[in-house]
Amino acid sequence: MTKNLVIVESPAKAKTIEGFLGKDYLVKSCFGHVMDLAKKDLGVDIENGFLPRYIISPEKKKVVTELKKKAGEAEIIWLASDEDREGEAIAWHLVTALDLDEAKTRRIVFHEITKPAITEAIGNPRKIDKNLVDAQQARRVLDRLVGFELSPLLWKKIKPALSAGRVQSVAVRLIAEREEEIKNFVPVSTYRVQADFLVDDGNKKSKVTAELNKRFSDKAEAIAFLEKCKSALFSVEDIETKPAKKSPAPPFTTSTLQQEASRKLGFSVANTMRVAQQLYESGKITYMRTDSVNLSKMALAMAREEITRTFGEDYVKTRQYTTKTKGAQEAHEAIRPTYLNHRTIEGDNSQKRLYDLIWKRTIASQMSDALLEKTNITIGISNTVEKFIARGEVIKFDGFLKVYMESKDDEDDESQEGMLPQLKTGETLIAEEIQAQQKFTQNPPRYTEASLVKKLEELGIGRPSTYAPTISTIQKREYVVREDRDGTVRKYSLIKLKGQTIRDEEKTENTGFEKSKLFPTDIGNLVNSFLMQYFVNILDYNFTALVEEEFDEIAEGKLVWNKMIHDFYYPFHAQIEETLETSKKVSGEKLLGKDPTSGENLFVKIGRYGPMVQLGDTDSENKPRFASLKKGQSIDTITLDEALDLFKLPRTLGEYESSEVVVSTGRFGPYVKHNSVFCSLAKTDDPLTLIMDRAIELILEKRKKDSEKTIREFPENKDVKLLNGRYGAYISYKKQNYKIPKSKDPKELTLDDCLTIIKETEPSKPGRSARKKK
DNA sequence: CAGTGAGCGAGCTTCCGCTTGACTT
């Protein structure tokens, strides 16, 4: 029996701490929240002062039972969940769930996982801060009320299984609005003039590229300028040199790690978090879900030592960074290597690369500034007031740049700063070539997963633990897709002056090419415009910030939590009721045109199963025909011809083995049907052009797959089948599936064995896409 | 992931935030 039970949130943390505390302490993990609002109905008793109905989360029952047992055996229980709103609530829930005796319970907090920090925490226990818990309850209940009242409204007004919430709906709004901006963006072109000057300092020739300090709005002006240059003299008017410095970026938080791993390594947000979790669990980095840029004293000392050893004293500059992020709770350190003297690690390629990034960023954050010298050379033109400017930048001391440089989202590839040759004021220069290039303004950039996280963080929306799940939710709901898009070819003019001749060339460039960007879908746009029309207050970019202020007041004891919820809920609920009554069901229906053969109207809209086309009016005598849009098509951009093509299905290809082969498209995409067997088409197949040979190929493939699927059939009872599934063998019986006990070898099972299993075990739950029929 | 293969129907879906496993057909 152990005297002390310490409960922390994460098992990896528990392991580390146990080492510090010695024999009298047993350290266990509760794996985050152990209680939550009941999922049935609202989980909140509105009439009764918004009393939350908490239950032990089903997946935590085992953990709770285990902890309860250990708590019963311990003299003192130390609740060491994180020091933030959620952590305080976890401690409070543990008291309830484990039925803890207050006299035996202590609440402790620490910010670093070091022996002194933990010893100090043990020496300074406190009570659970009920105000902080109330702030969490307000947060939780508000999110539940918003989510569970808005979502059903969408089911009624748009289509089933949609969702809305304080965080996800704003994320979708950002993407939908950005797309709208891009759609409305009209590029404007100007002419940028650059000159290459020849410099001859006696022993070597070099070139200086300078840009004119003015852009011309049209081609005629640009040509007129080049005409002037023909007879102009160029001379150095001014040389300005000034020192500059660059400072390193702060150590990683969850959000900045996701951004840099996306820019530098091309990782998706989810991938970054998966790999970071692996590094954390193997003790290589500190906790990966954090909003803090703080480094522990121990880490600072390790960094100083490592930098001195590797780069020398001059490269050391100890820095403490402060968090500017809205709503940061700073319960953890920044993300850093556990041991800064471990330059590399064992692991797979992703782990190595992410670790390397974290190591460099952490070390760089503790290194000296880079010292630069910036030079601007102004070159005058004898017959006009415009000037050419040449810019140079020389690194005098590299400092942190030796290790790491943060990337930007919008890399401007135009900057060509480097060393400039030695020049003297008054010196005349020869222009080798002057060119005016037509440049177009850029539309605002589409979001990547990581830049969306950055934006959400700036708005104070979402938390480190939810950025990745939020991104995946809005994609799972099909509000947003992440994909590549081809660019378009655009013409531009390039006018060159060389010697005394001006040549006007027409060139082409590729523009608008996108890689792994987020685009709104038809459904995303429809849901967003519906919510913007009726719930602009919830979609307001400041909504979270406003309620967070109130949560803070609750935490300070200045506001009662259910009063705050009361004041929010009633107007919000009235809004729901009103929208329910006044708004029509929306489908985004739009008349695309008429079918030239039948003359019937052709509509596009969002149906129960997503975007679709409809041929014929709904209330006409003949029933209208329907077809789903193909992947990648949008009701926004589909043409009449493309829409008409969709009605060319089903197509009968001919006969194979004396049965019809039909190709069509259904709920799960295009398929080939033969003898009532369905085979999905490959991504590269097009149902409109599919030929018989390929269809037969698909049918045979499917047969092969099916034969591998069946382990065994029983001629005496055709209902019972032994099949091979995703998770191994299982029994299929009358459309129900049954697990095979681990103790049994599936190949050895007899029909009787199977029937026994069927009788004795519950059928496994059907997957989420299984539907009832009839 | 596999399986599925509409078109009123019956009954389901849903939030955000804290943590990792799971033996799921």
Side-chain angles (χ1 to χ4, degrees), chain A residues 507-523:
Chain A
K507 300 249 183 192
T508 57
E509 61 186 351
N510 206 344
T511 178
F513 168 76
E514 295 281 23
K515 178 108 189 117
S516 225
K517 293 289 169 56
L518 300 175
F519 296 84
T521 62
D522 289 329
I523 295 163

Side-chain angles (χ1 to χ4, degrees), chain A residues 504-561:
Chain A
D504 181 357
E505 296 170 24
E506 191 179 80
K507 300 249 183 192
T508 57
E509 61 186 351
N510 206 344
T511 178
F513 168 76
E514 295 281 23
K515 178 108 189 117
S516 225
K517 293 289 169 56
L518 300 175
F519 296 84
T521 62
D522 289 329
I523 295 163
N525 280 323
L526 194 65
V527 168
N528 182 246
S529 60
F530 179 84
L531 291 174
M532 283 299 286
Q533 186 180 350
Y534 297 103
F535 294 93
V536 69
N537 51 332
I538 305 295
L539 284 248
D540 192 308
Y541 293 128
N542 283 317
F543 176 65
T544 291
L546 288 170
V547 292
E548 280 289 345
E549 276 177 27
E550 298 193 276
F551 297 154
D552 286 347
E553 284 182 40
I554 295 168
E556 288 164 27
K558 293 180 189 155
L559 183 63
V560 178
W561 82 267

Side-chain angles (χ1 to χ4, degrees), chain A residues 130-148:
Chain A
K130 193 61 199 329
N131 289 334
L132 198 52
V133 172
D134 283 350
Q136 192 273 347
Q137 297 202 81
R139 200 279 304 154
R140 182 66 190 93
V141 168
L142 179 113
D143 282 336
R144 170 56 66 88
L145 292 172
V146 170
F148 275 36

Side-chain angles (χ1 to χ4, degrees), chain A residues 339-350:
Chain A
Y339 305 103
L340 285 161
N341 55 339
H342 293 181
R343 177 65 191 83
T344 54
I345 52 147
E346 292 294 306
D348 66 29
N349 207 25
S350 302

Side-chain angles (χ1 to χ4, degrees), chain A residues 611-625:
Chain A
M612 59 182 233
V613 282
Q614 175 182 335
L615 189 59
D617 292 297
T618 311
D619 41 1
S620 77
E621 280 174 30
N622 298 326
K623 263 200 168 176
R625 292 174 62 201

Side-chain angles (χ1 to χ4, degrees), chain A residues 115 136 170 174 346 363 390 399 468 605:
Chain A
K115 195 167 178 174
Q136 192 273 347
V170 175
L174 285 165
E346 292 294 306
I363 287 289
K605 63 189 208 185

